Amino acid sequence: MTQAMPAPAIKPNIVAIRDLHKSFGDLEVLKGISFNAREGEVVSLIGSSGSGKSTLLRCINMLEVPDQGSVAIAGEDIRLRGEGAHRRIADEHQIQRIRSELGMVFQSFNLWAHLSILDNVMEVPLVVQKRPRAEVEAEARAMLAKVGIAEKAAAYPAQLSGGQQQRAAIARALCINPRVMLFDEPTSALDPELEVEVLRVIKILADEGRTMVLVTHDMEFARSVSDRVIFLHQGRIEEEGTPDQVFGATRSPRLKQFLNAANHA
C-alpha cells in the first residue's frame, strides 16, 4: 500500500497587513488594504500611478504611519498610539529593531555621497546593529560581489552609473541580514540598459528564496519573479493571485485596461 505523502508545511507570515487606511489631508490613498507575505514569498504590487503602491510599501516599515489598521512583522505587531491623522509610533525602540530586519531599496539610490561604496554598505550594521567591524566588512564585500560591483568598493557614489548605485543600495539593504526586502520601483530612475542589470540582481535574490515585497512597473518582470501579484486600484486591492491568474486569467476590467495600456507603453 502506497503511503500518502505529507502535506507541505505552511510557511509563516513574515509580513501581515490588516485593514490599512492612510490619508493625506482630504486625499484617501489607502482604503482598507489586507495581505500577507509568507517566508520566502515574492509579492509584487502593481497598479497605475496614484493607486497607493508606494504608500503601502512605506507603511510596512512605518515611514508612513497608517491612520487605521495594523502591520505585523514575523508575528510581532508594530505598536501604535492615537487615532487617525494623530496616530504615532508608540515604541521607538521596537520600530528601530524591526526596521533593522527590513531592507528597503528606494526609487532614488539614497547613498551617502561623502562615503565610499563599502562604507555606505557597512554604515547601518556598524552604527545601528553594533556588529563587529571585521565581520561587517567581510559581509559587505561579499554583498558587493553578489550584486556584481566588488571592484567598486573604494569608489564614491558619484563615480558610479545609476545601475551600479542601485546595486550598491541593494547590497546595503542585504548587509543588515533582513527578514524581508522591500523594493519601491527600484528601476524607475534608470535607463533601460541599466534597468536590466538591477532586475537581474533582484531575480537572483528571488531564486534564493528571500522574502520580498516589491513595487514595479515592469509587468514581464513581475510575472517572472513573483509568487503572488496584487493589483491596486484607487487605494484598494482590485485583484490578487498567482502570476498566471493575474496576467493570464484576468477577471477585473480595470486590470485588463491597465495591462493593455502597459503592453502598449
Side-chain angles (χ1 to χ4, degrees):
M1 182 174 176
T2 304
Q3 188 173 8
M5 294 292 291
I10 297 176
K11 293 185 177 180
N13 290 326
I14 300 300
V15 178
I17 306 296
R18 293 291 174 268
D19 193 32
L20 225 60
H21 291 253
K22 179 64 181 178
S23 295
F24 298 96
D26 294 332
L27 178 62
E28 189 178 9
V29 178
L30 302 179
K31 304 173 183 178
I33 300 288
S34 299
F35 80 92
N36 300 323
R38 296 191 179 278
E39 183 179 2
E41 190 174 35
V42 178
V43 178
S44 288
L45 306 177
I46 65 171
S48 59
S49 178
S51 60
K53 307 181 301 297
S54 292
T55 298
L56 175 56
L57 200 71
R58 290 169 67 85
C59 282
I60 293 175
N61 66 358
M62 294 293 152
L63 291 175
E64 300 289 353
V65 177
D67 302 331
Q68 181 183 323
S70 66
V71 176
I73 304 298
E76 181 181 356
D77 281 323
I78 296 176
R79 292 190 287 278
L80 302 171
R81 58 182 172 82
E83 298 292 335
H86 300 289
R87 217 165 181 218
R88 297 289 182 269
I89 292 166
D91 186 339
E92 288 293 337
H93 293 293
Q94 183 203 35
I95 195 61
Q96 288 177 17
R97 175 171 50 78
I98 287 176
R99 280 177 179 156
S100 73
E101 298 180 345
L102 300 173
M104 182 90 176
V105 179
F106 298 88
Q107 297 177 29
S108 54
F109 319 126
N110 287 4
L111 298 172
W112 288 290
H114 66 290
L115 296 179
S116 71
I117 295 303
L118 180 62
D119 286 337
N120 262 280
V121 175
M122 293 173 60
E123 183 77 0
V124 172
L126 286 177
V127 175
V128 178
Q129 296 179 331
K130 310 294 186 185
R131 289 163 53 195
R133 186 175 187 87
E135 170 192 304
V136 170
E137 181 171 348
E139 188 162 344
R141 291 186 182 278
M143 291 303 124
L144 289 172
K146 177 187 283 288
V147 302
I149 53 170
E151 77 284 359
K152 301 295 184 181
Y156 287 82
Q159 297 172 306
L160 272 60
S161 71
Q164 290 169 334
Q165 289 187 60
Q166 191 61 293
R167 284 188 281 162
I170 293 172
R172 180 177 62 184
L174 288 171
C175 202
I176 66 172
N177 296 320
R179 296 292 300 270
V180 58
M181 291 284 289
L182 307 174
F183 291 92
D184 186 7
E185 293 275 18
T187 62
S188 65
L190 302 177
D191 294 333
E193 64 271 21
L194 300 179
E195 180 177 356
V196 170
E197 64 189 42
V198 174
L199 293 179
R200 187 182 300 119
V201 169
I202 298 174
K203 183 68 165 64
I204 291 170
L205 301 181
D207 291 342
E208 290 177 352
R210 292 182 181 271
T211 308
M212 297 196 287
V213 181
L214 60 96
V215 173
T216 181
H217 62 273
D218 188 320
M219 297 302 103
E220 284 303 313
F221 180 67
R223 184 167 195 157
S224 69
V225 79
S226 306
D227 296 295
R228 280 190 301 121
V229 178
I230 295 173
F231 171 60
L232 293 180
H233 178 71
Q234 295 182 353
R236 292 186 172 93
I237 294 178
E238 178 75 15
E239 191 156 339
E240 177 180 3
T242 66
D244 286 344
Q245 290 169 335
V246 170
F247 294 111
T250 307
R251 299 186 304 275
S252 162
R254 295 187 183 95
L255 177 54
K256 289 179 182 178
Q257 184 180 30
F258 170 77
L259 293 176
N260 185 58
N263 289 334
H264 291 87

